[in-house]
């Protein structure tokens, strides 16, 4: 079972990305997917995923989903003391047989990273609508993540975000690591995202090439 950690600032599109990836991995790759959401003070994301993927789209069963309310600063629950999430992983594994678990961190800052105990592969999601200063400004989470997803590129013209600058900055601070530009709203870049994720799952031995 591969554990994929998804993190990034508040509202950057983590849950939207997880919903997209779950549909792709289940429907197109035939994998069994579980989801753990981390919210700090609510169960908002777990309820949303339950309504979208369990009730409406019927892509996963309710036993494949677990929502955590961490109560403290988000990165504590995925890095300093990931015990709550490790227990959640154990619970999911006992309930059902899974190939992949997607773990969403609560929205956090650019220094946030996953404990290697919790995630084998990490995706950092940035929001283009926050401007083009990042990824150039750096931050451990952006630098260390296996895949950088720059989301909401449909909003770039409204905030004068220069996507080419973001691309060059990403290459500079993350040499030899992939960055994908997407819009989960318009669908732009999503084929490339699927291609990159598939390549990683093949490397992990979960999929045949
Ligand atoms: N225009 C646009 N909106 C998007 C895109 N992706 C997500 N959104 C919207 O952005 C908002 C936040 O998306 P979420 O997926 O909830 O973001 P999140 O990172 O999970 O948010 P938190 O868990 O609260 O930190 C929602 O209203 C989404 O519909 C995109 O590519 N373009
Ligand atoms: Mg979310």
């Amino acid at each position: 079972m591969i554990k994929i950690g998804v993190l990034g600032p508040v509202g950057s599109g983590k849950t939207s990305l997880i919903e997209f990836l779950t549909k792709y991995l289940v429907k197109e790759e035939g994998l069994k997917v579980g989801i753990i959401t981390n919210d700090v003070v609510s169960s908002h994301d777990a309820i949303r995923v339950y309504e979208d993927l369990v009730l409406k789209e019927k892509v996963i069963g309710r036993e494949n989903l677990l929502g955590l309310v961490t109560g403290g600063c988000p990165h504590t629950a995925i890095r300093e003391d990931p015990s709550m999430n490790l227990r959640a992983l154990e619970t999911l594994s006992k309930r059902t047989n899974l190939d992949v678990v997607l773990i969403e961190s609560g929205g956090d800052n650019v220094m946030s990273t996953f404990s290697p105990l919790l995630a084998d592969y990490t995706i950092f999601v940035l929001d283009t609508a926050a401007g083009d200063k990042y990824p150039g400004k750096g931050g451990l989470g952006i630098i260390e993540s296996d895949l950088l997803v720059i989301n909401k590129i449909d909003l770039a013209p409204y905030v004068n975000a220069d996507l080419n600058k973001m691309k060059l900055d990403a290459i500079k601070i993350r040499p030899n690591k992939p960055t994908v530009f997407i819009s989960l709203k318009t669908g732009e870049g999503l084929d490339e995202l699927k291609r990159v994720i598939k390549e990683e799952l093949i490397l992990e031995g979960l999929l045949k090439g």
Side-chain angles (χ1 to χ4, degrees), residues 14-15 39 45 48 104-105:
K14 299 177 292 298
T15 309
D39 260 322
D45 285 1
R48 169 173 156 200
E104 179 180 351
S105 164

Side-chain angles (χ1 to χ4, degrees), residues 50-66:
Y50 177 70
E51 286 174 352
D52 289 351
L53 296 186
V54 178
L55 291 185
K56 196 167 142 218
E57 309 240 9
K58 300 182 174 37
V59 183
I60 56 168
R62 64 183 302 169
E63 68 280 7
N64 297 33
L65 172 66
L66 228 161

Side-chain angles (χ1 to χ4, degrees), residues 122-134:
T122 58
I123 304 174
F124 198 99
V125 186
L126 275 177
D127 177 353
T128 311
D132 59 15
K133 297 189 298 292
Y134 286 100

Side-chain angles (χ1 to χ4, degrees), residues 70-140:
T70 56
C73 81
H75 55 256
T76 301
I78 59 156
R79 187 179 60 208
E80 279 84 354
D81 178 9
S83 53
M84 203 179 192
N85 273 286
L86 291 171
R87 270 201 308 279
L89 271 175
E90 213 179 300
T91 305
L92 279 187
S93 313
K94 280 183 188 157
R95 279 188 199 164
T96 179
N97 187 22
L98 296 169
D99 300 308
V100 184
V101 178
L102 296 161
I103 305 166
E104 179 180 351
S105 164
D108 211 337
N109 66 56
V110 292
M111 290 301 285
S112 186
T113 55
F114 269 88
S115 161
L117 285 176
L118 188 58
D120 309 306
Y121 187 80
T122 58
I123 304 174
F124 198 99
V125 186
L126 275 177
D127 177 353
T128 311
D132 59 15
K133 297 189 298 292
Y134 286 100
K137 281 174 84 175
L140 201 60

